[in-house]
Amino acid sequence: MAVKIPFPGTPVRGSTSGSAIMALFDLLGRRWAMGVLWQLAENGPCTFRELQSLCEMISPGVLNARLKELRAAGLVEKGEDGYAVTTLGHDVYQALLPLSAI
């Protein structure tokens, strides 16, 4: 079964409104999604293996799925140096950063 990637304008887990924030929360609430985004934002571009090492207990299948979803959402991109956060991904990271101090 294919994984449904949450997008604004469509119903997502916990909401039928199609609100962009609900789509973001659906995506970031998935297992390891926030961890992958966080590691890339904190460490800069990483290869798949480097990222897997930074995330410690993540399986290759879960990492691959999260990267696919984060790329489709425009939060992560793949470049010559590996995977990296996009400007949008960095903005999301910055918006959530104050929560790490709680």
Side-chain angles (χ1 to χ4, degrees):
M1 182 171 93
V3 175
K4 185 175 185 227
I5 300 170
F7 282 103
T10 61
V12 297
R13 288 183 307 156
S15 175
T16 58
S17 70
S19 168
I21 192 71
M22 294 306 292
L24 177 65
F25 286 161
D26 183 351
L27 175 60
L28 294 181
R30 293 176 181 201
R31 185 172 36 138
W32 279 105
M34 179 64 82
V36 170
L37 182 65
W38 212 263
Q39 290 297 339
L40 289 172
E42 296 261 321
N43 295 290
C46 296
T47 65
F48 186 91
R49 287 182 191 257
E50 290 169 338
L51 187 53
Q52 186 178 15
S53 177
L54 288 170
C55 292
E56 298 175 15
M57 303 294 291
I58 194 170
S59 73
V62 170
L63 178 55
N64 191 47
R66 292 303 91 85
L67 286 170
K68 179 180 178 182
E69 293 164 356
L70 292 168
R71 287 177 70 192
L75 301 176
V76 170
E77 62 189 1
K78 186 175 182 184
E80 291 179 16
D81 296 330
Y83 295 94
V85 293
T86 61
T87 301
L88 178 60
H90 184 72
D91 291 346
V92 168
Y93 167 77
Q94 287 296 318
L96 296 173
L97 193 55
L99 296 176
S100 70
I102 294 175

